[in-house]
PDB file of all heavy atoms in Angstrom:
ATOM      1  N   ALA D 141       2.980  17.579   2.777  1.00 92.00           N
ATOM      2  CA  ALA D 141       3.964  16.562   2.416  1.00 92.00           C
ATOM      3  C   ALA D 141       5.192  16.640   3.318  1.00 92.00           C
ATOM      4  O   ALA D 141       5.723  15.617   3.764  1.00 92.00           O
ATOM      5  CB  ALA D 141       4.364  16.732   0.945  1.00 92.00           C
ATOM      6  N   THR D 142       5.655  17.864   3.589  1.00 93.00           N
ATOM      7  CA  THR D 142       6.824  18.044   4.453  1.00 93.00           C
ATOM      8  C   THR D 142       6.550  17.541   5.867  1.00 93.00           C
ATOM      9  O   THR D 142       7.372  16.828   6.458  1.00 93.00           O
ATOM     10  CB  THR D 142       7.230  19.527   4.493  1.00 93.00           C
ATOM     11  OG1 THR D 142       7.520  19.980   3.169  1.00 93.00           O
ATOM     12  CG2 THR D 142       8.444  19.732   5.382  1.00 93.00           C
ATOM     13  N   ALA D 357      13.877  14.141   4.252  1.00 94.00           N
ATOM     14  CA  ALA D 357      12.497  14.348   3.805  1.00 94.00           C
ATOM     15  C   ALA D 357      12.311  15.738   3.220  1.00 94.00           C
ATOM     16  O   ALA D 357      11.756  15.906   2.130  1.00 94.00           O
ATOM     17  CB  ALA D 357      11.533  14.123   4.973  1.00 94.00           C
ATOM     18  N   VAL D 358      12.791  16.765   3.932  1.00 95.00           N
ATOM     19  CA  VAL D 358      12.620  18.147   3.477  1.00 95.00           C
ATOM     20  C   VAL D 358      13.409  18.392   2.194  1.00 95.00           C
ATOM     21  O   VAL D 358      12.881  18.937   1.203  1.00 95.00           O
ATOM     22  CB  VAL D 358      13.057  19.133   4.582  1.00 95.00           C
ATOM     23  CG1 VAL D 358      13.029  20.570   4.060  1.00 95.00           C
ATOM     24  CG2 VAL D 358      12.160  18.989   5.810  1.00 95.00           C
ATOM     25  N   THR D 359      14.679  17.981   2.168  1.00 96.00           N
ATOM     26  CA  THR D 359      15.528  18.218   1.001  1.00 96.00           C
ATOM     27  C   THR D 359      15.074  17.387  -0.194  1.00 96.00           C
ATOM     28  O   THR D 359      15.076  17.857  -1.335  1.00 96.00           O
ATOM     29  CB  THR D 359      16.989  17.885   1.337  1.00 96.00           C
ATOM     30  OG1 THR D 359      17.384  18.596   2.513  1.00 96.00           O
ATOM     31  CG2 THR D 359      17.914  18.271   0.194  1.00 96.00           C
ATOM     32  N   GLY D 360      14.684  16.140   0.051  1.00 95.00           N
ATOM     33  CA  GLY D 360      14.212  15.283  -1.030  1.00 95.00           C
ATOM     34  C   GLY D 360      12.953  15.820  -1.672  1.00 95.00           C
ATOM     35  O   GLY D 360      12.796  15.773  -2.902  1.00 95.00           O
ATOM     36  N   LEU D 361      12.041  16.350  -0.868  1.00 93.00           N
ATOM     37  CA  LEU D 361      10.814  16.944  -1.407  1.00 93.00           C
ATOM     38  C   LEU D 361      11.121  18.169  -2.260  1.00 93.00           C
ATOM     39  O   LEU D 361      10.546  18.363  -3.337  1.00 93.00           O
ATOM     40  CB  LEU D 361       9.870  17.330  -0.261  1.00 93.00           C
ATOM     41  CG  LEU D 361       8.993  16.215   0.284  1.00 93.00           C
ATOM     42  CD1 LEU D 361       8.269  16.682   1.543  1.00 93.00           C
ATOM     43  CD2 LEU D 361       7.972  15.780  -0.771  1.00 93.00           C
ATOM     44  N   ARG D 362      12.023  19.005  -1.769  1.00 93.00           N
ATOM     45  CA  ARG D 362      12.392  20.197  -2.541  1.00 93.00           C
ATOM     46  C   ARG D 362      13.062  19.800  -3.859  1.00 93.00           C
ATOM     47  O   ARG D 362      12.797  20.400  -4.904  1.00 93.00           O
ATOM     48  CB  ARG D 362      13.314  21.089  -1.715  1.00 93.00           C
ATOM     49  CG  ARG D 362      13.714  22.392  -2.405  1.00 93.00           C
ATOM     50  CD  ARG D 362      14.340  23.359  -1.431  1.00 93.00           C
ATOM     51  NE  ARG D 362      13.373  23.835  -0.474  1.00 93.00           N
ATOM     52  CZ  ARG D 362      12.526  24.842  -0.692  1.00 93.00           C
ATOM     53  NH1 ARG D 362      12.530  25.453  -1.863  1.00 93.00           N
ATOM     54  NH2 ARG D 362      11.694  25.224   0.238  1.00 93.00           N
ATOM     55  N   ALA D 363      13.925  18.787  -3.817  1.00 94.00           N
ATOM     56  CA  ALA D 363      14.585  18.321  -5.047  1.00 94.00           C
ATOM     57  C   ALA D 363      13.564  17.736  -6.026  1.00 94.00           C
ATOM     58  O   ALA D 363      13.647  17.972  -7.245  1.00 94.00           O
ATOM     59  CB  ALA D 363      15.640  17.275  -4.705  1.00 94.00           C
ATOM     60  N   ALA D 364      12.581  16.991  -5.498  1.00 92.00           N
ATOM     61  CA  ALA D 364      11.548  16.420  -6.356  1.00 92.00           C
ATOM     62  C   ALA D 364      10.721  17.524  -7.023  1.00 92.00           C
ATOM     63  O   ALA D 364      10.348  17.410  -8.198  1.00 92.00           O
ATOM     64  CB  ALA D 364      10.642  15.507  -5.535  1.00 92.00           C
ATOM     65  N   TYR D 365      10.460  18.583  -6.280  1.00 90.00           N
ATOM     66  CA  TYR D 365       9.692  19.708  -6.820  1.00 90.00           C
ATOM     67  C   TYR D 365      10.492  20.444  -7.899  1.00 90.00           C
ATOM     68  O   TYR D 365       9.952  20.821  -8.941  1.00 90.00           O
ATOM     69  CB  TYR D 365       9.327  20.659  -5.683  1.00 90.00           C
ATOM     70  CG  TYR D 365       8.483  21.842  -6.110  1.00 90.00           C
ATOM     71  CD1 TYR D 365       7.117  21.708  -6.331  1.00 90.00           C
ATOM     72  CD2 TYR D 365       9.062  23.099  -6.285  1.00 90.00           C
ATOM     73  CE1 TYR D 365       6.347  22.796  -6.714  1.00 90.00           C
ATOM     74  CE2 TYR D 365       8.304  24.185  -6.672  1.00 90.00           C
ATOM     75  CZ  TYR D 365       6.948  24.027  -6.884  1.00 90.00           C
ATOM     76  OH  TYR D 365       6.184  25.101  -7.279  1.00 90.00           O
TER      77      TYR D 365
END
Side-chain angles (χ1 to χ4, degrees):
T142 301
V358 174
T359 307
L361 276 171
R362 182 166 292 277
Y365 182 79

